[in-house]
Amino acid sequence: MLNIHILGTGAIGSLWGSYFATDTNDQNYSLTFISRSIQENQYRYHLAPEDRWIQGRCINAQRQSKAESIRYLIVTCKAYDALQAMEQIQDLLMEPCHIVLLQNGMGSQQAITKAYPQHAIYACSSTEGAYKSDVHHLIHAGKGQNLLGPMNTIAKQIGQPTWIPDNTYQYTHDINTALWRKLIINCAINPLTALYQCRNGQLIEHEPYHQHLKRICAELQPLISHQQLDIDDAYDLARHVCEITAQNQSSMLQDKLNNKRSELAYITGFAIRSLEESGLTNEENNRLYHALKQQSLKD
Ligand code: KPL
């Protein structure tokens, strides 16, 4: 029996819970969610459209017993919460703990990897779409892909995490490129859709927005060569994602509309710092960052 801990009971934590609960191979799992919001010691929710009920133990992040020990951990908190949430449970981690990080943007994965060199750390870049309609209902809205790879030497030595059902992810030795690819997509689409309060597809349909998208991508392009990433063209990448997610409201637009904290600092903020550190201009992204701050987007 493998004991899996999932930090966070939002949409992504619940979706990952379902990967283990619905695994059909001969691996047996026990599932424990670590939550700040759920007070009960069980977390039970319905998964649609698969129409399944999932259940796991639930412990409180602030009040866990020292007897709890964690060998396998999936971290699903938002980028701005992840490092602090890890600090709250660090005394429970066995050595080495196998940890998968599922944050958007970049910066939080690197900070956690630096803070916990004794553990095997992997990051995952995901295009899965899921949201919770209420505490006990999870909607798996879009079947996407999870690309997962090692962040540090211990994880590289261990290799593919065989404790995760293998039909739920693809393994890559180059997670850095996967994270950068997603970062470029999010840098191009998320802040602009939040600024103009439009769906993803409108960024290529409405010419003034389209021109702005092109300027943001043109500024990101030199970063790709500077970081020696195997990514062809920032604009082609962003345009393609605008086409296939045309009807989506980006996560940043949703955060803005719901007056929630956004991941702007880990998306555009990270790109601005990387451009600066590489001696490249970051004027366009900087202007966009400040325009969003002026519209009171929280980051
Ligand atoms: O990842 C996304 C997000 O909204 O955060 C995209 C790919 C832009 C889809 O909406």
Side-chain angles (χ1 to χ4, degrees):
M1 171 82 79
L2 284 182
N3 243 315
I4 310 292
H5 285 77
I6 299 187
L7 187 51
T9 45
I12 298 301
S14 307
L15 185 66
W16 275 71
S18 77
Y19 295 167
F20 291 96
T22 57
D23 181 34
T24 45
N25 65 33
D26 51 13
Q27 195 86 266
N28 256 326
Y29 298 104
S30 88
L31 206 53
T32 302
F33 292 94
I34 309 171
S35 175
R36 274 183 289 192
S37 54
I38 294 176
Q39 300 301 325
E40 295 91 65
N41 45 25
Q42 290 285 325
Y43 171 43
R44 189 173 139 78
Y45 56 96
H46 182 258
L47 171 72
E50 288 84 349
D51 191 18
R52 290 185 59 109
W53 281 93
I54 315 288
Q55 185 167 312
R57 256 178 90 224
C58 191
I59 59 173
N60 191 283
Q62 281 113 350
R63 291 184 272 106
Q64 0 73 14
S65 131
K66 290 269 181 283
E68 190 80 30
S69 53
I70 303 177
R71 173 70 78 192
Y72 302 104
L73 176 68
I74 315 272
V75 182
T76 67
C77 322
K78 294 279 192 183
Y80 47 76
D81 269 339
L83 185 61
Q84 205 205 354
M86 283 288 297
E87 278 163 15
Q88 285 186 330
I89 57 160
Q90 61 182 347
D91 292 344
L92 310 180
L93 305 180
M94 294 162 94
E95 267 186 43
C97 183
H98 302 237
I99 302 173
V100 175
L101 304 174
L102 270 145
Q103 282 60 51
N104 274 336
M106 275 171 86
S108 70
Q109 304 92 333
Q110 289 72 13
I112 292 174
T113 304
K114 194 167 167 211
Y116 298 98
Q118 70 277 38
H119 300 304
I121 307 206
Y122 300 83
C124 178
S125 171
S126 177
T127 54
E128 284 275 60
Y131 66 93
K132 283 176 81 172
S133 55
D134 64 46
V135 185
H136 299 290
H137 287 89
L138 173 70
I139 322 292
H140 191 184
K143 186 97 196 78
Q145 197 196 27
N146 291 312
L147 257 181
L148 192 150
M151 287 293 288
N152 63 3
T153 316
I154 304 191
K156 276 185 195 138
Q157 280 161 356
I158 294 173
Q160 189 158 346
T162 50
W163 52 281
I164 302 175
D166 56 14
N167 57 345
T168 59
Y169 73 96
Q170 267 182 281
Y171 193 68
T172 171
H173 293 284
D174 184 10
I175 191 63
N176 189 45
T177 298
L179 292 175
W180 268 104
R181 184 175 282 114
K182 182 87 192 296
L183 184 86
I184 284 166
I185 293 168
N186 289 139
C187 273
I189 300 177
N190 295 31
L192 289 176
T193 52
L195 184 74
Y196 297 123
Q197 304 213 0
C198 67
R199 292 190 185 268
N200 296 356
Q202 288 174 278
L203 291 181
I204 50 174
E205 285 152 15
H206 186 61
E207 208 38 41
Y209 301 170
H210 189 194
Q211 289 305 323
H212 202 168
L213 179 82
K214 284 187 177 169
R215 293 200 301 276
I216 291 294
C217 292
E219 193 170 87
L220 295 170
Q221 188 63 37
L223 203 48
I224 294 178
S225 0
H226 196 272
Q227 299 280 336
Q228 298 178 325
L229 300 167
D230 185 18
I231 300 172
D232 283 343
D233 188 78
Y235 169 71
D236 287 347
L237 192 57
R239 188 191 164 86
H240 175 66
V241 176
C242 284
E243 279 165 6
I244 60 173
T245 64
Q247 291 312 312
N248 272 31
Q249 273 191 340
S250 79
S251 53
M252 201 175 285
L253 174 57
Q254 289 179 46
D255 289 338
K256 187 181 187 208
L257 297 175
N258 296 319
N259 204 24
K260 283 193 179 161
R261 186 170 172 185
S262 79
E263 293 176 306
L264 184 66
Y266 293 85
I267 296 177
T268 305
F270 186 87
I272 290 173
R273 280 197 306 282
S274 303
L275 284 162
E276 192 177 326
E277 282 161 16
S278 311
L280 298 164
T281 172
N282 59 16
E283 241 173 79
E284 280 291 345
N285 282 280
N286 227 331
R287 211 175 297 134
L288 180 55
Y289 189 99
H290 287 101
L292 282 162
K293 295 294 291 175
Q294 278 209 322
Q295 290 188 350
S296 308
L297 182 79
K298 296 184 194 148
D299 77 332

